């Protein structure tokens, strides 16, 4: 029996699924799908930048009006966000170079995002003692936890990911 490419039927060795042409096409699709997490890196970076400038404005314009706890909260938050921003730009560079370390680094970023968001909320609670913590503070954290359930398994087990990040 002849052994053919699944897509086009061209004869190929038995240990393969696709001929060279179709395999190349498959890989283009793979890269296409990874556009989603790649784009979300830029979105995250942008959100952090907006937050950093927001904190910076509060600190510089209102420094004398802030309580000690307020200063502490905004300075620590700005520092955390700046570190996260650098982390994101580093991961974007790993992505572009298709580094083998990318999947683990991306997972690290997802976990770090949830951890730092929770920590900032905790700081907000103990330093500024708001009367309540509501919907607006908790929703972004839940949203990140939800997307972690999608992307953690994907980056851990996906054959596509393994075959894209090979450098
Ligand atoms: Zn083919």
């Amino acid at each position: 029996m002849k052994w053919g490419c699944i897509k086009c039927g061209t004869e190929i060795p038995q240990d393969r699924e696709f001929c060279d042409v179709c395999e190349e096409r498959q890989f283009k699709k793979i890269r296409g799908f990874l556009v989603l997490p790649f784009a979300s890196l830029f979105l995250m970076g942008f959100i952090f930048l907006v937050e950093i400038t927001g904190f910076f404005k509060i600190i510089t314009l209102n420094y004398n009006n802030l309580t000690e706890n307020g200063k502490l909260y905004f300075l620590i938050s700005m520092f955390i966000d700046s570190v996260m921003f650098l982390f994101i730009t580093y991961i974007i560079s790993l992505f572009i170079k298709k580094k083998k370390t990318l999947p683990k680094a991306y997972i690290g970023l997802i976990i770090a995002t949830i951890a730092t968001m929770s920590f900032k909320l905790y700081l907000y609670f103990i330093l500024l003692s708001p009367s309540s913590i509501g919907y607006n503070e908790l929703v972004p954290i839940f949203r990140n936890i939800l997307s972690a359930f999608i992307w953690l398994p994907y980056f851990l087990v996906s054959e596509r990911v393994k075959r894209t990040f090979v450098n």
Side-chain angles (χ1 to χ4, degrees):
M1 198 187 103
K2 257 174 70 176
W3 191 263
C5 166
I6 292 174
K7 274 271 169 68
C8 67
T10 307
E11 203 174 336
I12 48 167
Q14 281 199 14
D15 59 332
R16 298 186 54 186
E17 280 181 289
F18 300 105
C19 68
D20 287 338
V21 178
C22 295
E23 194 162 79
E24 186 54 37
R25 246 179 240 148
Q26 284 296 104
F27 276 123
K28 287 221 174 93
K29 250 191 247 164
I30 292 164
R31 284 181 211 128
F33 189 70
L34 279 164
V35 157
L36 225 60
F38 189 58
S40 81
L41 284 173
F42 284 92
L43 184 66
M44 281 171 79
F46 176 73
I47 290 171
F48 275 111
L49 257 192
V50 170
E51 256 191 27
I52 294 166
T53 41
F55 288 138
F56 184 74
K57 264 188 196 156
I58 293 170
I59 295 166
T60 49
L61 298 177
N62 285 316
Y63 195 79
N64 294 324
N65 299 327
L66 290 172
T67 60
E68 287 307 308
N69 280 352
K71 284 173 194 162
L72 207 58
Y73 169 74
F74 289 111
L75 282 172
I76 294 173
S77 297
M78 196 172 78
F79 175 74
I80 291 174
D81 283 0
S82 307
V83 173
M84 288 299 292
F85 181 75
L86 290 178
F87 191 20
I88 290 169
T89 49
Y90 169 66
I91 289 178
I92 289 175
S93 80
L94 292 181
F95 217 113
I96 291 169
K97 294 180 203 151
K98 301 204 168 67
K99 290 284 187 189
K100 265 189 204 122
T101 46
L102 184 276
K104 276 188 186 138
Y106 201 94
I107 289 167
L109 177 69
I110 293 173
I111 294 169
T113 305
I114 295 169
T116 53
M117 281 177 106
S118 310
F119 180 68
K120 278 189 291 178
L121 186 58
Y122 171 72
L123 270 187
Y124 175 68
F125 196 68
I126 57 163
L127 288 177
L128 300 181
S129 34
S131 48
S132 67
I133 282 185
Y135 195 74
N136 287 339
E137 288 82 23
L138 291 170
V139 162
I141 297 178
F142 284 128
R143 204 189 299 132
N144 274 279
I145 292 173
L146 261 182
S147 81
F149 275 108
I150 299 166
W151 294 112
L152 282 184
Y154 181 70
F155 275 95
L156 279 174
V157 300
S158 162
E159 198 56 38
R160 296 176 166 192
V161 168
K162 273 177 211 141
R163 292 170 84 165
T164 304
F165 300 101
V166 290
N167 295 331

